[in-house]
Amino acid sequence: MKKYMVKLITCLLGVVSFLLLGNLTTSAQQEELPEPEGGPEMTERVRYPVSNIILQQRYPETIVLSGDQTDNKIALTFDDGPDPRFTPLILDVLREYDVQATFFLMGARAEAYPELVERIINEGHIIGNHTYWHPNLVEQADIATLEREVTNTENLLLELIGYRTKLFRAPYGFLYNELVEKLAELDYTVVGWTVDSLDWQEEPPVVIANQVINNIHPGAIILMHDGAEWEGDRTNTIESLHQIIPELIGQGYEFETVPDLLNIPYQK
């Protein structure tokens, strides 16, 4: 009986240790993942300050929303990575279908996961600047914040990928006149989109896929996300790609990176 009790206590201690270790590991991983400073897409995207369509009309030399709408070429873009939970799986899908995409990276996450940045480049994708901490630039309403966020990310990416990216996308797509003018001064092309997958709403894969497929058009730039806040989940985004890519290829569309689609430079 005594031996049985000793074994039972030992087993219980082992279980408790395993659970504690698991919680500590999860907590450590959560602390390592830089969070978007401006908040999750779910809460922020409902506020839309100035339409990117209006801004593009005001600044046609700086802001691009789509490619040639007479040519069946389109571009997949991904924001908020690199995220070790989802970016590798998205890269696996893109490699499976031999599709190149454009990734707009958070500087803080690129610094935390340089191996993922390297993989993105090595597999033929293009990288753009998505600020360092992903603030809401309109809410901040500070040109100095924009310049700091963009320049810090540009310098970091230079170390990781060997060139200064010329492509920029604002967190949540939020900008206003003075911010666009500063980005032009910094020699950036601001990349918007014409097809929003709304994958940040975390609907089932078929809903995300239908949102893209039903709104596709020649020259489309498609917005998706490979990164999320700690509580966010991009699993459905990954699954939706298995529906989106073969369906659009079957419709005769050809996937290209943003600079190839628009015939613009991607480095300064």
Side-chain angles (χ1 to χ4, degrees):
M1 181 67 177
K2 186 176 180 180
K3 288 182 179 179
Y4 172 79
M5 291 301 295
V6 170
K7 287 183 179 180
L8 179 60
I9 291 170
T10 301
C11 180
L12 289 172
L13 287 172
V15 171
V16 171
S17 297
F18 173 78
L19 292 173
L20 286 173
L21 181 60
N23 287 334
L24 287 172
T25 301
T26 300
S27 177
Q29 289 173 339
Q30 182 173 357
E31 289 177 4
E32 289 173 5
L33 182 71
E35 288 280 60
E37 186 179 82
E41 298 278 336
M42 194 75 74
T43 58
E44 292 303 306
R45 283 284 294 279
V46 295
R47 318 174 195 180
Y48 220 99
V50 182
S51 166
N52 280 332
I53 296 174
I54 293 174
L55 287 173
Q56 197 275 333
Q57 291 169 350
R58 291 175 182 168
Y59 303 98
E61 301 301 316
T62 302
I63 298 180
V64 295
L65 301 180
S66 68
D68 183 353
Q69 298 195 16
T70 65
D71 194 352
N72 276 6
K73 294 180 179 179
I74 54 179
L76 272 174
T77 67
F78 297 91
D79 287 7
D80 300 352
D83 188 318
R85 301 167 298 170
F86 312 115
T87 304
L89 297 175
I90 284 176
L91 289 170
D92 288 346
V93 176
L94 296 176
R95 183 170 57 188
E96 177 183 345
Y97 293 104
D98 192 25
V99 166
Q100 272 67 55
T102 306
F103 288 79
F104 291 90
L105 304 184
M106 280 178 56
R109 289 183 171 181
E111 186 170 28
Y113 307 106
E115 71 284 354
L116 288 178
V117 179
E118 182 179 5
R119 181 179 170 188
I120 290 170
I121 289 293
N122 288 344
E123 296 188 7
H125 307 291
I126 296 296
I127 284 176
N129 188 327
H130 199 44
T131 71
Y132 194 86
W133 285 113
H134 202 280
N136 183 329
L137 294 169
V138 170
E139 186 176 59
Q140 294 278 339
D142 181 19
I143 299 298
T145 296
L146 168 72
E147 186 167 10
R148 181 178 64 252
E149 287 278 333
V150 170
T151 302
N152 287 349
T153 303
E154 179 180 320
N155 291 336
L156 171 70
L157 290 176
L158 173 63
E159 294 180 13
L160 296 177
I161 65 180
Y163 64 83
R164 293 188 182 278
T165 180
K166 188 175 169 61
L167 306 180
F168 175 82
R169 177 175 284 161
Y172 319 107
F174 289 179
L175 290 170
Y176 56 81
N177 291 2
E178 289 79 7
L179 294 176
V180 177
E181 290 164 9
K182 186 61 181 181
L183 287 162
E185 183 183 315
L186 294 171
D187 194 24
Y188 273 95
T189 298
V190 178
V191 180
W193 60 84
T194 52
V195 176
D196 189 346
S197 69
L198 302 177
D199 60 345
W200 49 272
Q201 295 180 354
E202 299 182 8
E203 297 285 357
V206 66
V207 175
I208 298 172
N210 286 340
Q211 173 68 15
V212 173
I213 293 166
N214 293 340
N215 290 285
I216 203 65
H217 62 85
I221 295 177
I222 304 164
L223 171 64
M224 305 190 82
H225 296 81
D226 65 314
E229 69 281 1
W230 180 253
E231 299 298 328
D233 188 356
R234 298 291 176 251
T235 303
N236 290 347
T237 298
I238 298 163
E239 293 303 316
S240 74
L241 289 170
H242 285 293
Q243 301 173 50
I244 293 168
I245 295 175
E247 171 64 26
L248 295 184
I249 290 175
Q251 290 185 23
Y253 286 101
E254 181 181 343
F255 288 92
E256 293 192 335
T257 64
V258 165
D260 284 342
L261 177 72
L262 301 175
N263 193 27
I264 59 174
Y266 60 88
Q267 51 183 309
K268 295 181 180 179

